[in-house]
Amino acid sequence: MSTGEDNADWVRLAGTATGTGWDVDITDGIPGWAHTGLLIATLAAGEERVIDLGAREAIVIPLAGGVHVRAERAGVVDQAELAGRESVWAGASDAAYVPTGSILTLTGTGPARIAICLAADATAAPAPPFRHLPASEVPVELRGAGIASRQVRNFGVPGVLDANRMIACEVITLAGNWSSWPPHKHDTERPGVESELEEIYYFQTRSTEARGTDPIGYQRVYGAADRPIDVLAEVRTDDVVLVPHGWHGPAVAAPDADLYYLNVMAGPGPERAWLICDDPAHAWVRETWATQPADPRLT
C-alpha cells in the first residue's frame, strides 16, 4: 500500500514553490531534476516580468487573461499579443514559443495569470523561430472513454509547435473521471518504443457543486523494485507534482470537482517524441474503450 513516502521530494503544494515575482517557480535547486521547468506569474495590467532564458526554450501560455510577449535574441525582437482566455475551463488559449538565448518580457494586458513552460536545450540544433500559435490552431482531442474520458489540448506537441526539446499540453478531467490512465511511463530511452522524459503536472481544480468549498483531485506515481518512487498526492489549485521517472497515473478528479493539469515534458534523448510504455498490469484497459462512449459532458 502506498504511503506517499516520496511526496516531500516530488510534490510542491501551493505556496511552497514560490520565487521572487513568481507564484510557482520550478527551475533550480531540485536534486535529480534537470530538463524541465515552470514559472507562473500573476500580473496586473501593465505589470512586467523579465526572464533570461539562457539555454532554455519556453512556451508562454495564459491561464487567465492576456499578456504581451516580447522576446529579444541576438539583437532581434519578436512580439506577440496573446489574447488568452477567461480561465483554463474556458477552452484552449493561444500560446507563444520563445527560443533559447532570449530575454523574455511579459506584460499584463489586464489582470492575468501566465505560465511559462521551460525546457533545457543543450542540443547543437538551431533554435526554432519565435512563433505565436493562435487558439484556433490548437488541436483538441478526446482521449480514453467512459470514466477514463478526458479532453487534451495539444498546444505544444510535435507537429503543432516546433521546439527542440519541449512537449506540453493541457488536460481537462471532469468530476468523477480518471486520466493518465492506464498508468504509463517514459523514463528509458528505447528508440521507437519509449522516450526518456521528465514531466511536470501543474493542477487547478473547481467545485461542481454550489456548496462545494474544497475541490480536490489525486495523483499517483510509482516505480519498479529496481527504481522505486512512491507519490500519492491530494492536489488542489496551484499544486505541482514532479515525475522524474516511474509509472504515473491515475490523476483522479473527485466526484464533485473538475481537474485541470498542465503537463511540461522534456528529456535528454536524441528525438523530441512522446513515446510511452503502459504498466502491463493495466494496459488491457485500452481495449475496453472501443465499446464505451466518451463522457458526453466533454462532447
Side-chain angles (χ1 to χ4, degrees), residues 151 178 261:
Q151 181 195 85
W178 291 30
Y261 53 84

Side-chain angles (χ1 to χ4, degrees), residues 12-13 20 34 37 47 57 61 69-71 75 80-81 90 112 118 127 166 179 183 214 248 266 281:
R12 302 292 187 270
L13 299 179
T20 302
E47 188 175 3
E57 59 185 353
I61 183 162
V69 178
R70 182 183 189 275
E81 200 85 10
L118 299 167
M166 173 87 68
S179 59
D214 187 24
H248 43 289

Side-chain angles (χ1 to χ4, degrees), residues 69-79 97-105 128-131:
V69 178
R70 182 183 189 275
E72 183 173 357
R73 180 175 184 266
V76 176
V77 174
D78 291 293
Q79 301 187 70
Y97 172 80
V98 185
T100 57
S102 297
I103 303 297
L104 171 61
T105 302
F130 180 95
R131 183 185 172 195

Side-chain angles (χ1 to χ4, degrees), residues 210-228:
R211 60 187 174 182
T213 57
D214 187 24
I216 60 172
Y218 292 88
Q219 170 75 354
R220 178 77 171 110
V221 186
Y222 60 98
D226 61 344
R227 202 177 183 191

